[in-house]
Amino acid sequence: MMKRSLLLAGALAALTTAAPAEAESPMVHLVLKFVKDKPTRGPAVVLDPVSCPACVVGHDPGFERDNARETLVELRVPAQRSLELAFDSQPGMRRVLLETTDLPFRREGNRLLVALAPLHGDLVDTGEFSTHIVEPGMVLRFEHADPARLAGDYAGKPLPKVQREAANVLEFAEREAIREIGLGEHVAREGLGVIEIMGFDTNEPHGHKDSPPHMHMHLRWPFNIGTQIGHYYLSPEGLLQHNQAGATGFHLPAHDYAPGEPFTTIDNRGRPAYTQTITPEGWLKLTAPLPGGNCLIRPVGQGFASGASVACDGHASQTVQVSDDLEHGVLRVTTGTVIETFRYDRDNGLLLSPTEAPRMPDGTIVPISRTEFPLAHAAATPFAAPGSD
């Protein structure tokens, strides 16, 4: 009995003197972009682990990146903590970005100190280089193809210039068709989600290979519960070849739609929202169950890189041309006689052009509905002519 008591006492003593097990801190996954003020080779920064012993540097090539324009650093850092990260740095770092947000930083000798606010979730899209144009029921994501940023399946190869320019035109041609049909307003009014128009990335942001060259127009349902996503692949001549489509969140096999085979996108209530069909010529038909809801999008030349003609029922045909000036960060879209100019941040693609009209005075009455009702004796009460009194 004495022996058992001694053993128990020893075990209790060991428990009380042993170091407590450390609880695992929640971490968030992020990518920081260090923008160089002039082209250089080799990583511009390296994390000093002493500044954040709990941080973990990642080396996934889909997130970690270095090119002449920028260095992308992949990190896992403690969640909801105010951190100041120190990096051994080359001179000439002009910006530090997290997503499209500039982070405050300062230099101390060869070290760069970056202040990081408490983070509650992963932020890994910093490597994207695209501009988002938002309209009712629709968002257009325009990807900028920078030869200095080519990565993934496009690294070490010539820029797919014709396909990228074809995708540029098709994105804005679809936007024009959506406007003329009134499809975006319909989606917004009915609460069906948002139509997303996209091309393809050439810089593999967040590991997104996005190849071969293609474009999209899909309806993302509310609460992101699922999306039918079509991939409209482009030929070297800039024409549409076929559409490979599947549905996210439902583990369904993708189906390949050949020219002439319609692909119908349904809304979150199971109703047809719109149908897209690649023609035998490599053009695109867009139809929707709305008045005048039939459009044909065809190239003005050999392929869509030359521009597109958009012809919708009840509307005059419109020619769409697109140019992207990477050096100055200017995207110009010509639709008929209308020239639109979108200025964007050359480091991350953030739209800089104004997007909201001036605010109306507080006393302005904005009609939100129309009601008609008879006024008693209205016809028997003549109004005095101006100046008659």
Side-chain angles (χ1 to χ4, degrees):
M1 187 72 169
M2 177 70 71
K3 187 175 181 180
R4 288 183 60 189
S5 299
L6 289 172
L7 287 171
L8 181 59
L12 289 171
L15 286 173
T16 56
T17 58
E22 292 187 8
E24 189 172 321
S25 299
M27 306 287 277
V28 295
H29 188 195
L30 59 89
V31 173
L32 297 179
K33 178 186 290 188
F34 294 82
V35 182
K36 306 173 183 180
D37 65 356
K38 61 181 180 180
T40 59
R41 290 186 176 181
V45 296
V46 177
L47 178 68
D48 179 359
V50 175
S51 68
C52 185
C55 293
V56 179
V57 179
H59 298 292
D60 185 331
F63 298 98
E64 184 184 61
R65 189 77 44 79
D66 181 74
N67 55 53
R69 306 247 192 252
E70 62 211 9
T71 293
L72 302 181
V73 176
E74 180 192 11
L75 294 172
R76 284 177 171 79
V77 305
Q80 303 180 45
R81 302 286 186 174
S82 293
L83 305 174
E84 186 169 83
L85 309 181
F87 295 85
D88 295 323
S89 168
Q90 297 180 10
M93 294 297 101
R94 59 183 176 85
R95 297 177 77 180
V96 182
L97 296 169
L98 178 58
E99 305 287 295
T100 56
T101 298
D102 279 273
L103 299 183
F105 69 94
R106 71 182 191 278
R107 179 172 288 281
E108 291 184 356
N110 294 328
R111 287 159 58 86
L112 210 64
L113 302 178
V114 179
L116 201 61
L119 301 176
H120 298 266
D122 295 345
L123 296 167
V124 295
D125 295 338
T126 310
E128 286 195 358
F129 185 35
S130 55
T131 298
H132 292 78
I133 298 168
V134 180
E135 300 185 6
M138 172 176 60
V139 58
L140 185 152
R141 187 192 75 170
F142 187 92
E143 306 84 3
H144 305 281
D146 184 356
R149 290 180 167 100
L150 296 180
D153 290 350
Y154 300 100
K157 302 174 185 176
L159 175 73
K161 187 173 184 292
V162 172
Q163 290 105 318
R164 184 58 256 182
E165 290 180 354
N168 295 351
V169 169
L170 279 163
E171 287 187 63
F172 280 97
E174 287 187 316
R175 170 196 184 226
E176 181 64 20
I178 289 169
R179 283 182 158 203
E180 293 190 10
I181 293 175
L183 185 57
E185 288 86 349
H186 170 74
V187 166
R189 184 170 57 250
E190 297 294 319
L192 305 181
V194 61
I195 297 172
E196 296 185 336
I197 301 174
M198 301 178 182
F200 62 99
D201 292 306
T202 54
N203 61 328
E204 198 189 14
H206 47 79
H208 188 211
K209 294 188 181 298
D210 226 13
S211 65
H214 57 276
M215 45 81 69
H216 313 264
M217 174 180 150
H218 50 259
L219 176 61
R220 190 170 295 278
W221 294 339
F223 307 107
N224 202 21
I225 59 173
T227 305
Q228 294 169 280
I229 299 181
H231 299 74
Y232 291 80
Y233 289 102
L234 292 156
S235 72
E237 296 75 32
L239 293 168
L240 295 170
Q241 293 179 305
H242 63 101
N243 168 30
Q244 190 175 77
T248 62
F250 290 91
H251 308 291
L252 298 173
H255 178 76
D256 199 75
Y257 294 82
E261 188 176 0
F263 169 55
T264 298
T265 293
I266 62 173
D267 64 22
N268 59 330
R269 302 168 198 174
R271 304 170 303 184
Y274 55 85
T275 298
Q276 293 160 294
T277 308
I278 298 173
T279 73
E281 301 89 348
W283 307 348
L284 183 65
K285 287 183 179 179
L286 173 65
T287 63
L290 296 169
N294 295 288
C295 297
L296 175 63
I297 301 172
R298 60 179 180 83
V300 298
Q302 181 182 8
F304 281 106
S306 63
S309 170
V310 181
C312 298
D313 290 352
H315 295 267
S317 177
Q318 298 284 357
T319 298
V320 177
Q321 304 277 357
V322 179
S323 67
D324 186 17
D325 183 349
L326 283 169
E327 182 180 356
H328 299 98
V330 179
L331 171 64
R332 284 197 172 88
V333 181
T334 302
T335 306
T337 59
V338 177
I339 301 175
E340 293 180 274
T341 301
F342 302 94
R343 296 190 180 271
Y344 61 88
D345 189 314
R346 293 178 297 162
D347 296 324
N348 56 28
L350 181 68
L351 183 64
L352 302 178
S353 297
T355 58
E356 295 185 8
R359 183 173 177 269
M360 289 186 177
D362 292 338
T364 302
I365 298 175
V366 180
I368 58 174
S369 64
R370 177 172 175 168
T371 303
E372 295 184 0
F373 53 89
L375 291 174
H377 312 298
T381 307
F383 290 95
S388 61
D389 56 350

